Amino acid sequence: MLILGIDPGTAVTGYGVIESSGPNTFRCVAFGAIRSKANQSLPPRLKNIYDSIAGIIEQYQPDQVALEDVFYGRNFQAALKLGQARGAAIIAALNAEKPVATYSAREVKMSLTGYGAASKEQVQRMVRDILRLDAPATPLDASDALAIALCHAHRWWTSQKMKNSRQ
């Protein structure tokens, strides 16, 4: 099963593709960042995110897509823009007929590190260890996207195990 993890952002959107063939069997396929130009207005940034995610989906053909939920911070404008970036990524996945799951940052951190308030660097180290990468996935947005994909894989395999135990 291939999973595309996405860490949405208007300036940088991280992505990571993993393959999971079992509950604890993971392989990194690809990761990177979609960057927008600092002087761009929001609509071209959203188009860039949409087009780039659509291209990544076309290239890797993931079975499922997982995204981070919008972070609820004090800055309403930033949260609104982040929600729009997230929406562009979700529409790209849905247009490709891929199922979409969402996870809070706290849930992703808890899934990987056992601590819901772990730092981005702690998450990055766990991603490196779990995926047996030679070097940390950079930028941090890409390692966060891989973490989201790993969190989704853990949840998916757990749900399959629970389904099978009920039968």
Side-chain angles (χ1 to χ4, degrees):
M1 165 176 61
L2 284 178
I3 302 168
L4 169 60
I6 302 170
D7 181 29
T10 55
V12 180
T13 292
Y15 69 89
V17 181
I18 66 164
E19 180 180 23
S20 180
S21 55
N24 295 304
T25 309
F26 310 108
R27 181 179 70 86
C28 181
V29 175
F31 62 87
I34 301 160
R35 298 183 186 278
S36 296
K37 295 176 184 164
N39 61 350
Q40 271 185 323
S41 63
L42 187 59
R45 287 178 186 223
L46 297 176
K47 182 180 182 335
N48 181 40
I49 293 165
Y50 174 88
D51 290 345
S52 296
I53 295 295
I56 292 163
I57 291 171
E58 187 176 325
Q59 180 178 357
Y60 294 103
Q61 292 296 312
D63 300 297
Q64 301 179 27
V65 176
L67 290 97
E68 188 172 280
D69 274 334
V70 174
F71 172 73
Y72 301 99
R74 293 182 209 162
N75 186 334
F76 178 75
Q77 287 293 345
L80 184 61
K81 288 178 183 176
L82 178 60
Q84 291 173 330
R86 189 172 168 270
I90 289 171
I91 295 300
L94 292 177
N95 280 347
E97 299 182 356
K98 304 298 178 184
V100 175
T102 61
Y103 300 94
S104 70
R106 186 171 201 76
E107 187 174 5
V108 172
K109 291 174 181 182
M110 184 67 98
S111 173
L112 265 67
T113 69
Y115 180 55
S119 70
K120 285 184 170 283
E121 292 77 15
Q122 288 171 312
V123 171
Q124 184 183 48
R125 282 192 296 277
M126 287 304 295
V127 165
R128 179 182 178 180
D129 290 348
I130 293 168
L131 293 173
R132 294 180 208 85
L133 301 174
D134 293 333
T138 57
L140 287 170
D141 307 271
S143 66
D144 285 350
L146 288 168
I148 294 161
L150 286 165
C151 175
H152 180 69
H154 285 297
R155 298 294 187 257
W156 191 87
W157 286 110
T158 300
S159 72
Q160 295 307 301
K161 186 177 179 182
M162 291 174 67
K163 282 181 189 176
N164 291 339
S165 70
R166 284 187 235 142
Q167 294 176 352

